[in-house]
Amino acid sequence: MASIQKLDEAVMSSRIEALRAIQVGDLVFGLGAGGQEKLLLVYRADPSGFSARHVTTQMKFRFDRNGMTQIYSDGGYVKIVSTAALPADKRRVGIELDRKMGSNLEYPDTKLNEAEIRFLQTYRAFFESHLLPDQ
């Protein structure tokens, strides 16, 4: 029984450490209350939490260092489930996509290129293969 408790404490500790390590510029992956995927770029961080925006919609969220937003009046929330570092080439595409979506450009300037399409088709699998331990 003591070894199970130590394992549980180690899992919880690694989740807490990963969430505390989040900093400005990180791309993290969260899930909404209904399982909606959220690729998020962290744009502000402090000891109590961090703020991140959804790359494709530019919707902004504030997270506590436990990786959760508040629970909204409709029951919705976002929970960070992966903080894994994307490979450099994928990270670059994700950052460029965030800039494009936040630039207020109009079509055809917002048309996705091949690298962005490939990124949007594959990033979820990457993050799901590198999930944080659940609490």
Side-chain angles (χ1 to χ4, degrees):
M1 184 72 159
S3 63
I4 292 174
Q5 183 178 3
K6 284 184 181 182
L7 180 59
D8 288 343
E9 289 172 3
V11 165
M12 184 62 145
S13 176
S14 63
R15 178 178 175 77
I16 290 168
E17 288 172 15
L19 292 168
R20 284 186 182 155
I22 292 174
Q23 56 189 327
V24 172
D26 287 349
L27 284 166
V28 297
F29 183 70
L31 293 176
Q36 312 90 329
E37 63 187 61
K38 308 283 186 197
L39 177 63
L40 302 154
L41 176 66
V42 177
Y43 65 89
R44 183 177 301 135
D46 57 54
S48 66
F50 56 94
S51 297
R53 67 179 166 258
H54 187 245
V55 168
T56 56
T57 67
Q58 298 294 292
M59 182 177 266
K60 296 178 179 179
F61 300 95
R62 176 70 183 168
F63 294 85
D64 289 334
R65 283 292 174 175
N66 65 3
M68 291 284 296
T69 62
Q70 67 179 1
I71 297 177
Y72 302 104
S73 61
D74 64 358
Y77 61 85
V78 179
K79 178 181 180 180
I80 300 302
V81 296
S82 180
T83 61
L86 286 162
D89 59 328
K90 291 184 187 297
R91 183 180 186 289
R92 182 181 40 69
V93 173
I95 297 294
E96 289 172 2
L97 185 59
D98 175 75
R99 287 187 183 133
K100 179 184 276 188
M101 294 302 170
S103 66
N104 295 321
L105 295 173
E106 294 187 22
Y107 185 83
D109 296 325
T110 55
K111 189 174 178 184
L112 300 179
N113 62 41
E114 287 183 38
E116 292 164 340
I117 293 169
R118 203 168 30 259
F119 174 79
L120 289 172
Q121 293 171 333
T122 60
Y123 78 85
R124 183 175 183 150
F126 170 83
F127 283 114
E128 286 181 342
S129 69
H130 298 86
L131 294 175
L132 290 171
D134 205 11
Q135 43 192 20

